[in-house]
Amino acid sequence: MTILIEQSDHFGAEVEAKTEPINERELVLDGGFLIPQTNSFGHMFRAYNDAVSERREGVENFYRKNHTYQSVDFVKKMREEYAKLNRVEMSIWECCELLNEVVDESDPDLDEPQIEHLLQTAEAIRRDYPDEDWLHLTGLIHVWLNADLGKVLNLPSFGGLPQWAVVGDTFPVGCRFDESIVHHKYFKENPDYNNPAYNTKYGIYSERCGLNNVMMSWGHDDYMYLVAKENSTTLPSAALFIIRYHSFYALHREGAYKHLLNDEDVENLKWLHIFNKYDLYSKSKVRIDVERVKPYYLSLIEKYFPAKLKW
């Protein structure tokens, strides 16, 4: 059975699912990009509680540490340290190539080198949204987006942070940890969990204050947003929103924390919904010829970024 997802408008606000009886069990997104229903290990995507997943125990241990140590004080410390952008100067593509040294321990879906995942995502978006070149580049930098570009923080030259301080689902600190966050039970060990200043619905924030005024758990999302902004990227606001919040699954998948969004956040969230279906469901055994597509993405990097960036 094939599921075809058709979008009625540019943002995909209305989605209609249809089924057709064919032998392949694959997902077809928009312009025809075929995406398998299972991940690299043969399991459903984001199967954090799948008892047969070979990586389940490691992923759960990751979130135990992440939820224990990601506090307001820790986030403030990381923001201050990495805002200096004094570690190295290099191009976007040079940073992409560094990712071949990194495999994400928090991700139950992927065991390929990260540069292939970046290109899987970008090429899927390029096929379905050919005129939105900023979205293609955002897919590459992804992780600038799951850019996984920010995962260079794992590398010794960037401070060698542990993975719990780099990858995984992100969430606000300074207010109550929503129960929709994966492995929520481990927050009980977080120093902010019982702090009355931080454990209410709004905490230190106010209604519709805007996500730009909310501290998120530290990791590659916030770091890559910082790098892009401080190096004067010309990417649009929606791209920066995707870069910063693509791993904020409690918001864009579960609908939590919407009381903190302002009008601009609501509009940008539409693009984030589009991006994340490619980010997650293109993490599969679809091989990309890196050298063939490289010139196109180099041209986009030149369009939206300076030749060298401070990291």
Side-chain angles (χ1 to χ4, degrees), residues 179-218:
E179 291 186 1
S180 65
I181 301 170
V182 64
H183 294 303
H184 178 273
K185 60 186 177 182
Y186 294 120
F187 282 119
K188 292 181 180 179
E189 301 302 319
N190 190 296
D192 295 347
Y193 186 81
N194 292 312
N195 188 329
Y198 302 144
N199 64 5
T200 63
K201 179 180 179 179
Y202 291 99
I204 59 177
Y205 309 115
S206 58
E207 187 171 6
R208 294 174 54 82
C209 63
L211 290 184
N212 194 47
N213 296 307
V214 173
M215 285 190 292
M216 300 293 293
S217 55
W218 176 256

Side-chain angles (χ1 to χ4, degrees), residues 56-301:
R56 184 188 63 81
E57 183 176 352
V59 171
E60 183 164 350
N61 184 56
F62 164 88
Y63 278 109
R64 178 183 62 79
K65 296 177 182 178
N66 175 276
H67 293 354
T68 298
Y69 301 125
Q70 289 276 6
S71 65
V72 168
D73 287 345
F74 175 77
V75 171
K76 287 181 176 179
K77 179 180 178 181
M78 291 296 99
R79 281 186 166 191
E80 181 180 359
E81 173 63 26
Y82 283 90
K84 300 173 184 177
L85 297 180
N86 61 356
R87 297 185 180 275
V88 70
E89 289 191 15
M90 63 180 172
S91 69
I92 295 291
W93 194 264
E94 287 170 337
C95 187
C96 287
E97 291 177 335
L98 283 178
L99 290 173
N100 280 333
E101 302 176 31
V102 181
V103 173
D104 182 353
E105 292 175 0
S106 76
D107 195 333
D109 299 326
L110 187 68
D111 66 349
E112 295 288 346
Q114 293 296 334
I115 196 168
E116 286 207 34
H117 165 45
L118 298 183
L119 290 170
Q120 287 168 350
T121 301
E123 284 294 282
I125 296 171
R126 182 182 177 188
R127 179 173 298 190
D128 291 347
Y129 293 87
D131 297 327
E132 307 292 344
D133 66 355
W134 65 268
L135 194 59
H136 312 163
L137 182 57
T138 301
L140 175 71
I141 318 181
H142 154 255
V143 175
W144 288 127
L145 301 160
N146 229 12
D148 293 282
L149 282 188
K151 293 172 184 175
V152 297
L153 292 172
N154 282 140
L155 304 175
S157 58
F158 284 80
L161 291 179
Q163 288 224 347
W164 62 261
V166 178
V167 295
D169 291 13
T170 59
F171 47 85
V173 297
C175 60
R176 181 187 302 148
F177 301 116
D178 191 82
E179 291 186 1
S180 65
I181 301 170
V182 64
H183 294 303
H184 178 273
K185 60 186 177 182
Y186 294 120
F187 282 119
K188 292 181 180 179
E189 301 302 319
N190 190 296
D192 295 347
Y193 186 81
N194 292 312
N195 188 329
Y198 302 144
N199 64 5
T200 63
K201 179 180 179 179
Y202 291 99
I204 59 177
Y205 309 115
S206 58
E207 187 171 6
R208 294 174 54 82
C209 63
L211 290 184
N212 194 47
N213 296 307
V214 173
M215 285 190 292
M216 300 293 293
S217 55
W218 176 256
H220 66 274
D221 305 65
D222 246 19
Y223 176 64
M224 291 315 308
Y225 167 79
L226 181 65
V227 170
K229 182 180 178 181
E230 295 303 316
N231 282 282
S232 301
T233 180
T234 56
L235 284 169
S237 171
L240 294 177
F241 188 91
I242 293 171
I243 287 171
R244 197 172 195 181
Y245 303 114
H246 73 274
S247 297
F248 190 4
Y249 282 92
L251 169 65
H252 61 74
R253 180 166 173 157
E254 305 297 336
Y257 297 105
K258 286 188 175 180
H259 54 282
L260 300 177
L261 305 186
N262 60 23
D263 290 342
E264 184 177 11
D265 294 331
V266 172
E267 289 302 308
N268 286 334
L269 183 59
K270 297 173 184 178
W271 281 109
L272 180 54
H273 280 137
I274 289 174
F275 175 83
N276 267 283
K277 65 183 180 183
Y278 295 95
D279 172 32
L280 182 59
Y281 298 109
S282 58
K283 295 179 181 178
S284 302
K285 296 291 188 180
V286 179
R287 305 310 298 268
I288 300 294
D289 184 342
V290 176
E291 292 305 313
R292 182 180 65 83
V293 301
K294 181 177 177 179
Y296 173 70
Y297 291 100
L298 288 176
S299 71
L300 295 187
I301 290 170

